[in-house]
Amino acid sequence: MSPHGSSSPALPLLVLSLLLLSPPGTLAGGDGSPPSRPIVTPISKDGSTSLYTIPVKGGAPLVLDLAGPLVWSPCQPGHRTVPCKSSVCTVANRNHPANCAYTGTGQPGSPDPTCACTAYPYNPASGQCGSGDLTKMPLSANATDGRNPLFPVSFPAYAACAPDGLLASLPAGAAGVAGLSRQPLSLPSQVASRLKVAKQFALCLAGDGQTGAAIFGGGPFELQAAQPMELAEDLRKNALPLLVNPKSGAYYFRLHGIAVNGAQLSVPAGAFDLDRRQGTGGVLFSTVTRFTTLRSDIFSPLINAFEALTRDVPRRKPFPPFDLCFDASGFPSTRVGPGVANIDLMLDGGRNWTLPGASSLVQVGGSTVCFAFQNMGFGATVANSPAVIIGTHQMEDNLVLFDLEKGTFGVSGLLLGRSTHCGNFNFAMGSS
């Protein structure tokens, strides 16, 4: 249950210089010198695993992992390797998965000129890790003005080779994982350094049957609506601080409490706090956890409060893994989902991230909806876990923007309330 990786996100100046001085991305069809632009890529949701992918490896999909420190994929024979003495090798090995044994070869710092750096890719769906060469891998997307894709862009990125078996539990056809963490070899960090764009990215995860969008590198983020709606600038102006967990590059933020129908839950003092020394507790975003999962001392008062407010709605037999299910016809239909009491996540500055019915309930059958939060449970594993993991169901149809340079984030709130959604990015090719 704990976020993987156990390293500091700090990047040595030497490595930063190496990354920044590397050749920039090539821009298909241009002369190699147009102004740098952010890149956009569609996000697809896999119906079997509920994991999200982006087609940036020659059109092949990579699974999004907000806590992942690396990009990884199986490699072809004859792939390029990175010397062990390279500072990039040192950085890649600072993110060693806790449950992954060292191979004893390819260790950073070796003066042997024939030594090829070994990296340790991690599969967030299976919890398994592997080992393979650190390499450079071509990635591609489209430049964007925040409204449309404009022209193709390709660039090399440091990535870990992985054994084919590490793909198990990922969506069919997935070619690996795109780590999106705050670490220096994550995809957003490398896009920023390679393409000379802002060290920011924005995710808009769409629901079933729709295509979401991700923009790496800053700039506008416009969705189609009755009047086209630009969302990113307001999120930057009203950004909230991220918290640093020295043991992980995941995106933690401060949560002051949870309210249901305006009434704050009674939870133990410090229930949401991040223990920076141990790297445990705290609240983080996850793109590999489907439903927001809470430690028992937080989950119990939350479900009890929700149950009390829905006592008049006919119940249905609990549908595993859910603890509380309802007859869907017992709720009125609204633009933001079933008409039910809002759940508010109480953020810094007195602001709330409001979760209405579309975020707090999930349809599990033609006439059944269930409470879309899960109990983390008990035991030693939970003791080393975050207090709350915000899952993708609660992130869907919200624009979430992360600024790695400033250490901030912004969240739009459910876009259905503004008569748009994350499937409304216009992927028709525009003109540059």
Side-chain angles (χ1 to χ4, degrees), residues 103-383:
T103 63
T105 61
Q107 296 182 355
S110 170
D112 181 355
T114 65
C115 178
C117 180
T118 297
Y120 295 87
Y122 176 85
N123 180 327
S126 66
Q128 301 300 308
C129 67
S131 61
D133 291 335
L134 187 65
T135 187
K136 275 190 175 179
M137 194 172 287
L139 301 180
S140 58
N142 281 297
T144 185
D145 57 3
R147 298 167 183 85
N148 302 88
L150 300 177
F151 49 85
V153 175
S154 63
F155 58 97
Y158 289 106
C161 296
D164 289 340
L166 200 61
L167 297 174
S169 301
L170 298 183
V177 167
L180 303 181
S181 76
R182 303 173 76 174
Q183 304 287 358
L185 295 185
S186 72
L187 179 61
S189 294
Q190 295 200 69
V191 168
S193 61
R194 293 288 181 186
L195 302 183
K196 308 299 185 280
V197 291
K199 202 172 179 181
Q200 302 175 9
F201 68 102
L203 295 181
C204 212
L205 305 180
D208 294 336
Q210 298 177 337
T211 299
I215 290 182
F216 296 89
F221 196 115
E222 185 176 290
L223 294 176
Q224 295 175 305
Q227 292 291 328
M229 189 177 300
E230 200 292 303
L231 299 165
E233 189 57 32
D234 186 59
L235 296 187
R236 292 188 185 96
K237 288 179 179 177
N238 296 285
L240 296 169
L242 291 164
L243 301 181
V244 175
N245 183 346
K247 305 290 187 180
S248 169
Y251 295 90
Y252 286 79
F253 63 97
R254 188 176 290 106
L255 189 60
H256 295 273
I258 300 176
V260 180
N261 202 32
Q264 186 170 350
L265 301 179
S266 177
V267 299
F272 303 103
D273 290 353
L274 171 65
D275 184 334
R276 288 171 48 86
R277 179 173 294 182
Q278 299 296 326
T280 59
V283 181
L284 60 82
F285 292 98
S286 173
T287 47
V288 296
T289 301
R290 185 176 181 190
F291 299 103
T292 292
T293 304
L294 308 96
R295 207 172 50 215
S296 292
D297 57 323
I298 304 169
F299 177 82
S300 293
L302 173 61
I303 194 171
N304 290 342
F306 196 87
E307 190 167 21
L309 289 166
T310 53
R311 64 171 64 90
D312 295 330
V313 180
R315 300 298 197 259
R316 287 290 178 90
K317 183 179 178 180
F319 191 98
F322 304 106
D323 296 310
L324 180 62
C325 296
F326 306 92
D327 183 336
S329 66
F331 297 104
S333 179
T334 77
R335 191 167 61 183
V336 292
V340 67
N342 288 337
I343 296 174
D344 290 316
L345 304 183
M346 303 167 68
L347 308 176
D348 284 333
R351 282 189 266 165
N352 291 335
W353 178 8
T354 297
L355 306 177
S359 301
S360 63
L361 295 170
V362 60
Q363 192 99 18
V364 296
S367 60
T368 300
V369 293
C370 295
F371 186 59
F373 296 81
Q374 295 187 343
N375 191 344
M376 200 174 288
F378 302 92
T381 300
V382 173

